[in-house]
Amino acid sequence: MVEICALSVNLNKVALLRNQRDLTYPSVPGMAGIAIKAGARGITVHPRPDERHIRRQDVRDLAELLAQERYKGIEFNIEGYPSDDFLALVAEVEPDQVTLVPDAPDQRTSDHGWDIPLHEERLKRVIAKLKRHGSRVSLFIDADPAMASAARAVGADRVELYTGPYHHAFMEGRAGEILPAYRTAAEAALAEGLGVNAGHDLNLDNLGGFLTAVPGVAEVSIGHALTADALVMGMDATVRAYVDILTRSARAAA
Ligand SMILES: CC(=O)[C@@H](O)[C@H](O)COP(=O)(O)O
Ligand SMILES: NCC(=O)COP(=O)(O)O
């Protein structure tokens, strides 16, 4: 059976648009429902301390939605820096996956992976607690095989490869120069028994090339470009377009 990489739709930018008025639309849970019906196998949110987009209540509302029997098997992935507030929110909803990201509170967006050895003891403690509460734990890392090995040592289940640099190289016609590093990092993670996720600035143009070059990616989380595409094509057609790429990539690799 062909393993198709799962699409987890990041709803940060739906929430960002909603927050511009004291209104309830575009609806975060509503967009989640459309995305899932169109073939998304997960929903991702990244609640930031300033609640610039995803609010704490969005996390609670999505957890309640995805607990419904009709969404059995759809994964909830919460990303963020392991602050006390973030960990308290995660403990409330106990998502399927927590992706720990080394972002400062005022960071405009995520733009680097963990230096795991520098934070080894704290990551070990946090990861052990999250796993005790039943969440799979993924660490956001750069395309560095050493970080893949370090992730195993602190108890992570997966790594998420930060694909921002891939996007920029792709835009400059240099994808071939950078993809070997992602392949090596993915292979190192798989050799450690870790799952491999990927995300940040993936889009309809660069996704296929990444999956062709990098083996064993279990999940891609995509939000910014996907939301922009949905403004043009609608959420249903957009998710179907991304899922089609994932399906074609899996069949080509089989
Ligand atoms: C970790 C990562 O690359 C994304 O998950 C992150 O959610 C992007 O955050 P913004 O949507 O706030 O840019
Ligand atoms: N982890 C990546 C993610 O959830 C979405 O990143 P982006 O597609 O908004 O850049």
Side-chain angles (χ1 to χ4, degrees), residues 76-232:
F76 192 20
N77 174 41
I78 303 180
E79 302 193 330
Y81 178 80
S83 66
D84 291 347
D85 284 348
F86 175 82
L87 293 173
L89 179 61
V90 165
E92 267 189 64
V93 299
E94 295 185 336
D96 302 282
Q97 178 174 266
V98 180
T99 301
L100 300 178
V101 187
D103 286 2
D106 59 351
Q107 215 168 290
R108 184 167 180 238
T109 188
S110 307
D111 59 12
H112 63 282
W114 283 99
D115 178 343
I116 296 172
L118 195 61
H119 304 276
E120 185 173 5
E121 290 314 310
R122 179 139 194 275
L123 285 172
K124 270 184 184 174
R125 285 197 310 275
V126 167
I127 290 169
K129 185 172 182 182
L130 290 169
K131 290 172 74 168
R132 281 197 301 273
H133 285 262
S135 295
R136 176 196 316 127
V137 179
S138 178
L139 288 181
F140 195 65
I141 67 168
D142 298 318
D144 177 351
M147 286 306 140
S149 308
R152 188 82 187 119
V154 295
D157 300 297
R158 293 193 184 178
V159 293
E160 176 177 343
L161 298 177
Y162 167 46
T163 48
Y166 164 66
H167 162 71
H168 294 298
F170 180 88
M171 296 298 283
E172 296 165 3
R174 298 186 295 103
E177 294 174 20
I178 201 169
L179 281 170
Y182 283 94
R183 183 182 187 86
T184 304
E187 288 170 342
L190 294 168
E192 293 284 350
L194 296 170
V196 177
N197 295 346
H200 202 92
D201 282 337
L202 292 174
N203 60 38
L204 288 173
D205 296 329
N206 65 26
L207 179 58
F210 184 81
L211 294 172
T212 301
V214 180
V217 179
E219 173 190 291
V220 288
S221 43
I222 306 176
H224 190 97
L226 187 149
T227 306
D229 293 329
L231 291 174
V232 177

